[in-house]
Amino acid sequence: MADEKSFENDVRKLRKRRKRKRFVKNLLLILAVLVFASGVYFSKGLWLPYFEGILERGFADDGDAAAENFPIDISNRTNVRIGGMDNCWVMFSDTSLSVRDNNGRELHSVYLPYSSPVVETSSRRTLVYDMGGYNLCVVSRTGEVFSKRLENQILFAVVGEHGNIAVVTSTDKYASYLTIYDKNGTEIFHWADGNLITAIALDDSGDGCIVSSSYVLGGRFKSVVSELDFSMTEIVGKTIPVNTLCLDIEYTRDNGFWLIGDSALYRYGEDFSLSYTYEYIYDLTKYAVSGDVCGMVFNPAGTNSIYLTLFDAELEQPTEITYNEKIHSIEAYDGKIYFNTSTRLNSVDSLGMLVGTSPLDAEYESFVVNGDKAFLLGYRSINKAELTTHD
């Protein structure tokens, strides 16, 4: 009898030992999975942009593989905005942002119930924010990257080529307050100087920016541009005040920058020295700037003439072209200036030479360019045009 009980005890011990081994083995497996998942999550900033680029390249435009969906009817839509990224374009309408390929087919959409939507784009990302509201969202060609609801009202925001964004808000302490978010949506930098921030340009590396702030002195607007490094607390560089309200700033290829004011255009070098100034004779109605090229539209009062003035960062003398048709919109891409009248979409170089054109059969209030294609926003539809290149 004793031998039988001893045998049963041995069996029970063996079963317990096996259960413990299975428990320890399963626990170690779970811990290994958790460690791996944690490593993947906390290192996503290193590998996610790489795969994002692969996915975006994988979605390259397939040309004429499918029937085009143009024109796109927008007669029953509200809050329509368009923007361009590489090999695709975006349309905000009603309460959603739609990412579309060059044939007009929707790749994906994001629900964004914003009352005052503003669309800003870079080559690989689109930023949509609710001006005067608290929400923003960043999307790529493949889907939503991140979204945020802020505590303070958004005045304006921009997206950089590196994927980071700069957001200017109004706070209880400051009239305007700058916050920088990296490409994953993490806060990395804050800045304010007590004046009104009016323009920001993020550098391509994602490590810094230039920011313009304006104030009133003696009944006149004055503007100052400061250079910020996100790894430092002190200002890197600063211009002397100029007598204008800054509307925009943009880097040039030599790391200098343009300052577009309401009364004059300024060109600065990398060391923040002023290269030249162009004071406006007539009221500025439209402008576009990108890299080393800038285009401005002036409409002299009491005349039917439209002046398109072109600037090259390497030249001191601008080029002026006179038109008898209204210029509805102007954009700058890849060293060229694009503009549309009621009858044509044209592209010119910085010296005013025609390099591309396309006839138009309707008036369009804005457009975006993607290579030799243009997507035009009209009052009732969005259409596509092919630009004929001129050598």
Side-chain angles (χ1 to χ4, degrees):
M1 190 70 177
D3 292 339
E4 185 176 340
K5 288 183 177 179
S6 177
F7 176 75
E8 290 176 355
N9 290 334
D10 291 342
V11 170
R12 290 193 185 98
K13 290 179 181 178
L14 182 60
R15 287 175 177 172
K16 288 181 180 180
R17 193 178 299 115
R18 288 176 176 173
K19 287 182 179 180
R20 283 196 298 270
K21 287 183 178 180
R22 283 198 300 270
F23 175 77
V24 172
K25 183 178 180 180
N26 291 336
L27 180 62
L28 291 174
L29 180 61
I30 292 172
L31 289 174
V33 171
L34 289 174
V35 169
F36 176 76
S38 298
V40 170
Y41 177 78
F42 288 111
S43 64
K44 65 181 181 179
L46 299 175
W47 57 265
L48 187 58
Y50 174 76
F51 283 103
E52 178 183 304
I54 291 177
L55 290 172
E56 289 170 358
R57 291 191 294 271
F59 275 105
D61 180 40
D62 57 4
D64 299 325
E68 295 181 355
N69 298 317
F70 293 97
I72 299 173
D73 184 16
I74 58 170
S75 57
N76 295 320
R77 298 175 180 264
T78 60
N79 284 337
V80 181
R81 312 280 190 275
I82 60 174
M85 295 190 291
D86 283 351
N87 295 318
C88 67
W89 60 285
V90 297
M91 176 181 73
F92 187 98
S93 66
D94 300 323
T95 56
S96 66
L97 179 75
S98 172
V99 179
R100 296 173 178 256
D101 68 10
N102 285 343
N103 291 320
R105 296 171 301 182
E106 185 176 275
L107 303 176
H108 69 87
S109 64
V110 182
Y111 177 65
L112 301 172
Y114 297 169
S115 58
S116 299
V118 178
V119 176
E120 296 284 344
T121 60
S122 65
S123 61
R124 289 171 55 181
R125 290 189 174 183
T126 292
L127 163 68
V128 185
Y129 64 92
D130 194 5
M131 185 171 62
Y134 301 88
N135 295 289
L136 61 86
C137 182
V138 176
V139 303
S140 69
R141 177 168 181 140
T142 57
E144 180 179 329
V145 181
F146 64 85
S147 60
K148 289 186 176 295
R149 179 173 175 82
L150 307 183
E151 295 181 356
N152 299 303
Q153 285 184 310
I154 301 172
L155 300 179
F156 73 95
V158 296
V159 58
E161 285 297 322
H162 192 69
N164 56 344
I165 64 172
V167 184
V168 177
T169 56
S170 176
T171 70
D172 293 336
K173 186 176 180 180
Y174 297 101
S176 55
Y177 188 74
L178 171 65
T179 303
I180 303 294
Y181 298 87
D182 69 12
K183 58 191 174 185
N184 301 312
T186 303
E187 291 185 27
I188 61 171
F189 188 79
H190 302 272
W191 184 82
D193 67 352
N195 297 319
L196 182 64
I197 298 173
T198 60
I200 298 167
L202 293 162
D203 67 25
D204 290 346
S205 70
D207 297 329
C209 70
I210 49 176
V211 54
S212 171
S213 57
S214 299
Y215 58 95
V216 177
L217 181 65
R220 301 188 65 178
F221 279 110
K222 291 185 176 290
S223 297
V224 174
V225 177
S226 303
E227 182 180 11
L228 307 177
D229 185 319
F230 301 149
S231 65
M232 302 172 61
T233 57
E234 300 296 326
I235 294 175
V236 178
K238 191 174 184 179
T239 65
I240 62 173
V242 290
N243 296 322
T244 193
L245 172 63
C246 179
L247 305 176
D248 205 352
I249 47 180
E250 176 72 18
Y251 283 107
T252 55
R253 287 185 299 178
D254 62 359
N255 293 319
F257 59 92
W258 304 96
L259 186 160
I260 297 175
D262 67 333
S263 59
L265 170 71
Y266 302 86
R267 164 76 166 94
Y268 289 90
E270 183 180 7
D271 59 355
F272 280 65
S273 61
L274 181 61
S275 300
Y276 66 81
T277 303
Y278 178 86
E279 295 185 356
Y280 310 150
I281 301 175
Y282 309 108
D283 290 338
L284 176 67
T285 59
K286 297 178 180 67
Y287 70 88
V289 58
S290 177
D292 283 359
V293 65
C294 177
M296 293 185 163
V297 179
F298 299 96
N299 185 6
T303 71
N304 294 323
S305 298
I306 301 295
Y307 295 153
L308 173 62
T309 306
L310 305 169
F311 301 87
D312 189 305
E314 298 181 355
L315 303 175
E316 293 191 4
Q317 294 299 320
T319 299
E320 188 176 276
I321 306 173
T322 303
Y323 288 91
N324 293 322
E325 285 187 281
K326 179 181 179 181
I327 295 177
H328 296 284
S329 185
I330 183 171
E331 298 289 345
Y333 297 96
D334 296 330
K336 296 184 284 291
I337 296 294
Y338 295 77
F339 60 95
N340 69 304
T341 66
S342 297
T343 59
R344 303 199 73 83
L345 171 65
N346 291 330
S347 65
V348 295
D349 62 19
S350 61
L351 298 178
M353 298 297 295
L354 185 69
V355 293
T357 187
S358 177
L360 302 178
D361 58 1
E363 289 188 3
Y364 296 96
E365 57 179 299
S366 66
F367 62 89
V368 295
V369 175
N370 210 325
D372 61 351
K373 302 176 181 63
F375 305 96
L376 302 109
L377 173 62
Y379 300 100
R380 301 183 61 85
S381 64
I382 296 174
N383 220 326
K384 185 171 84 168
E386 300 278 346
L387 285 122
T388 302
T389 302
H390 290 260
D391 297 327

